[in-house]
Amino acid sequence: MIYYCDRHRHLVCMPYSVDNLHVMAKTLDIKQCWFHKDHYDIPKRRIVEIQAKCQIVSSRVILKIIKGNYYV
């Protein structure tokens, strides 16, 4: 699984699905309260730690992943 985040603390993964998002969150030890319908937010105090495990992309790429229009 590949993790993607943007500079606005949005976090998603590929392959994208809500189930995979929850697996990602469990792996990264992010509580479910940070889940927002189609992505997770990165807790502010853990930004550096989690971004180190992600590919940092633009917000547009995050939206494309969510909509299913982004292919690696």
Side-chain angles (χ1 to χ4, degrees), residues 13-28:
C13 63
M14 288 285 282
Y16 178 82
S17 73
V18 172
D19 289 336
N20 282 345
L21 289 177
H22 294 310
V23 170
M24 171 195 70
K26 189 173 184 177
T27 302
L28 295 174

Side-chain angles (χ1 to χ4, degrees), residues 43-55:
K44 218 173 201 178
R45 68 185 190 286
R46 297 186 61 210
I47 290 173
V48 173
E49 169 202 345
I50 292 175
Q51 281 183 342
K53 299 174 183 177
C54 300
Q55 291 186 22

Side-chain angles (χ1 to χ4, degrees), residues 5 10 12 16 19-21 27 30 32-41 43 48 50 54 56 64 67-68 71-72:
C5 66
H10 301 119
V12 296
Y16 178 82
D19 289 336
N20 282 345
L21 289 177
T27 302
I30 298 173
Q32 187 141 2
C33 65
W34 293 100
F35 180 68
H36 300 280
K37 186 177 128 184
D38 52 15
H39 71 280
Y40 271 85
D41 281 347
V48 173
I50 292 175
C54 300
I56 299 173
K64 285 182 179 183
K67 292 180 177 183
Y71 304 98
V72 180

Side-chain angles (χ1 to χ4, degrees), residues 6-7 28 32-33 42 65 70:
D6 64 14
R7 298 284 181 195
L28 295 174
Q32 187 141 2
C33 65
I42 299 172
I65 291 170
Y70 183 78

